[in-house]
Amino acid sequence: MLVTGKQILDHAHENNYAVGAFNVNNMEQVQAIIQAAEETQSPVIMQASQGALKYAGVEYISAMVKTAAENSSVPVALHLDHGTDFKQIVKCIRNGFTSVMIDASKMPLEGNIDTTKKIVEIAHAAGVSVEAEIGKIGGTEDDITVDERDATFTDPEEAVKLVNETGLDSLAIAVGTAHGVYKGEPKLDFDRIVTIKEKLNIPLVLHGSSGVPEESIKKAVERGINKINIDTDIRMAFNEAIRDFVKNDPDAYDPRKIVGPARDAMKEVIKEKMTMFGSAGKAWK
Ligand code: 13P
């Protein structure tokens, strides 16, 4: 069933677990995610990045995710990841997205507040939830790159201001993760998560979560992270399975035979994440 991002994240916030927000670009990813959610009885968020919208288009993404959600009993939210453009956000809302992210984190605080406020106003009028970001998360997510030197951790006082002045539903914070493949082991600022959670008492979001060790993920969830974004780990599973298949059967030419095992491989990775995040068994009717 299709629900709002707020319904999913408020439940996670109240029950101290995190929900995986998995990036989707094609049908196999949507199917892998919904199958994993059903097998683990987990609420789930499927999200489209700027790159996904360019590759597949808003209409395709929305039709695929809505079909998956409507044919399933687990709660599913359809979310826009790193929205930056007002028109595109409106288009997503018109196409049935139940949650949008406005990423104005590159702006100074006042600009971030003004931009987020505007999106909250239109999204809430349509019954759609809003995630915003404060602090700068490093790394590359499709078209958006933040250099390591420009990445800055979230200031808790600024986070309070952004939340109080905009009425947003969930907040992405910068606490040491980065989008893409890590060069070394990421060091998370767990105390900062605790401070921010105590001050805000709302669902918190961790971006750049692929490659973060299980122990760190669990510590982050215990301290108040409720949405965990995963893209790269699913890409890796897809990539590895396709390469293996083609290496073993170089004459194969049926796309279903080549891509089918990749769908299964992605599902296994996603199931592991759902168990790790604590969302397995948390689906409600
Ligand atoms: P990863 O690619 O590191 O998993 O990050 C995904 C993400 O944060 C999407 O917003």
Side-chain angles (χ1 to χ4, degrees):
M1 64 184 165
L2 192 65
V3 301
T4 65
K6 183 171 167 57
Q7 281 173 287
I8 287 193
L9 293 181
D10 282 356
H11 189 263
H13 171 63
E14 282 154 22
N15 295 284
N16 309 312
Y17 68 94
V19 175
F22 303 100
N23 284 77
V24 293
N25 302 275
N26 64 19
M27 183 189 76
E28 283 76 12
Q29 290 177 316
V30 172
Q31 290 176 330
I33 295 164
I34 200 71
Q35 284 168 12
E38 279 171 355
E39 286 177 26
T40 59
Q41 280 302 297
S42 173
V44 70
I45 298 169
M46 297 202 214
Q47 58 185 15
S49 66
Q50 293 298 317
L53 296 181
K54 247 192 233 166
Y55 177 77
V58 175
E59 292 88 353
Y60 273 84
I61 296 277
S62 145
M64 288 189 295
V65 176
K66 279 195 281 187
T67 302
E70 280 156 14
N71 286 294
S72 175
S73 63
V74 297
V76 179
L78 169 55
H79 175 74
L80 170 67
D81 191 21
H82 291 288
T84 49
D85 174 67
F86 182 81
K87 275 195 189 154
Q88 186 187 63
I89 290 177
V90 171
K91 192 173 176 189
C92 286
I93 293 173
R94 290 175 71 101
N95 274 277
F97 279 55
T98 61
S99 176
V100 292
M101 175 182 188
I102 170 67
D103 180 358
S105 61
K106 281 198 170 130
M107 293 181 182
L109 181 62
E110 290 312 317
N112 193 348
I113 289 174
D114 289 347
T115 311
T116 302
K117 211 172 177 173
K118 196 164 139 191
I119 299 301
V120 168
E121 214 171 285
I122 55 152
H124 282 184
V128 170
S129 322
V130 179
E131 172 185 335
E133 176 175 325
I134 190 152
K136 294 192 187 79
I137 296 157
T140 300
E141 170 78 4
D142 287 334
D143 298 347
I144 303 169
T145 297
V146 177
D147 196 276
E148 246 173 63
R149 283 163 308 192
D150 294 332
T152 29
F153 285 10
T154 300
D155 177 307
E157 291 310 325
E158 287 196 356
V160 169
K161 253 188 138 180
L162 181 70
V163 171
N164 288 346
E165 293 190 27
T166 63
L168 58 82
D169 301 297
S170 61
L171 186 66
I173 54 172
V175 288
T177 55
H179 294 109
V181 180
Y182 286 101
K183 288 187 200 106
E185 193 179 303
K187 296 256 175 297
L188 271 64
D189 186 343
F190 297 109
D191 292 343
R192 192 174 296 261
I193 302 176
V194 173
T195 309
I196 297 171
K197 190 74 172 188
E198 275 173 8
K199 284 184 187 288
L200 300 181
N201 196 28
I202 63 163
L204 298 179
V205 182
L206 192 68
H207 282 244
S209 311
S210 293
V212 177
E214 177 162 0
E215 201 196 328
S216 299
I217 289 285
K218 287 188 166 159
K219 274 171 102 170
V221 175
E222 275 165 23
R223 285 157 180 74
I225 293 292
N226 304 111
K227 173 175 180 273
I228 301 188
N229 288 10
I230 298 284
D231 187 0
T232 304
D233 279 344
I234 301 179
R235 294 182 186 196
M236 298 287 212
F238 181 89
N239 187 21
E240 213 172 288
I242 298 269
R243 280 172 198 272
D244 274 359
F245 186 88
V246 174
K247 204 164 91 192
N248 292 330
D249 190 354
D251 298 327
Y253 61 90
D254 181 342
R256 294 166 298 190
K257 289 213 168 109
I258 301 168
V259 184
R263 180 173 58 188
D264 296 340
M266 291 189 287
K267 183 177 84 175
E268 290 313 312
V269 169
I270 295 161
K271 279 170 72 176
E272 271 172 36
K273 301 284 183 195
M274 288 170 163
T275 305
M276 189 191 300
F277 302 164
S279 69
K282 296 291 197 312
W284 66 88
K285 296 284 173 216

